[in-house]
């Protein structure tokens, strides 16, 4: 398993556990992350991205599972993932697949590009 895939799987585990400290350790200080909740502008920097994750966890109950790696380069992984999103009271809102490109710099997650599905 590549170091990038290992880091991504660790980040998925932290995300699904709502472990903000675990997510923080996977993010590059200059991370740029899209607003996947409200489709607003991207969040720039670790602190802004962490605040967005805290907001997501306070609003919905997301779970993500890595289905397969589509392609890999020295600084990116294109993956297919399964997203399940529930309301805080357990109502299933969506269960869908997405194709995503995770970008890496200095061995940490530095960004996300949504190719399709979200």
């Amino acid at each position: 398993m590549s170091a990038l895939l290992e880091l991504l799987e660790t980040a998925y585990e932290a995300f699904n556990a709502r472990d903000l400290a675990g997510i923080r350790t996977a993010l590059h200080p200059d991370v740029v992350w899209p607003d996947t909740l409200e489709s607003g502008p991207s969040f720039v920097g670790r602190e802004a991205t962490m605040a967005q994750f805290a907001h997501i966890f306070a609003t919905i109950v997301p779970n993500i599972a890595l289905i397969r790696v589509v392609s890999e380069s020295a600084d990116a992984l294109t993956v297919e993932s399964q997203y399940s999103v529930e309301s805080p009271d357990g109502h299933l809102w969506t269960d869908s697949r997405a194709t995503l490109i995770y970008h890496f710099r200095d061995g940490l997650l530095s960004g996300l590009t949504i190719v399709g599905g979200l």
Side-chain angles (χ1 to χ4, degrees):
M1 176 184 316
S2 74
L4 299 183
L5 182 55
E6 187 173 324
L7 176 67
L8 185 60
E9 287 182 342
T10 299
Y12 272 36
E13 289 172 11
F15 183 85
N16 289 335
R18 318 306 177 256
D19 175 7
L20 290 171
I23 294 170
R24 177 185 300 278
T25 63
L27 297 179
H28 191 277
D30 299 322
V31 63
V32 177
W33 208 264
D35 182 351
T36 58
L37 187 60
E38 298 170 359
S39 299
S42 293
F43 297 92
V44 178
R46 185 184 287 146
E47 296 312 312
T49 303
M50 291 306 304
Q52 174 61 3
F53 282 126
H55 177 63
I56 288 170
F57 296 152
T59 307
I60 60 175
V61 181
N63 283 288
I64 183 172
L66 179 65
I67 302 300
R68 68 184 180 106
V69 175
V70 177
S71 67
E72 182 172 1
S73 69
D75 61 356
L77 288 174
T78 302
V79 303
E80 185 177 347
S81 296
Q82 185 75 31
Y83 276 82
S84 171
V85 178
E86 297 178 359
S87 66
D89 64 359
H91 176 75
L92 181 65
W93 282 345
T94 186
D95 190 16
S96 61
R97 289 208 178 175
T99 303
L100 310 165
I101 301 172
Y102 289 95
H103 306 278
F104 300 83
R105 186 168 42 168
D106 303 327
L108 297 170
L109 282 163
S110 63
L112 169 68
T113 301
I114 301 168
V115 177
L118 284 184

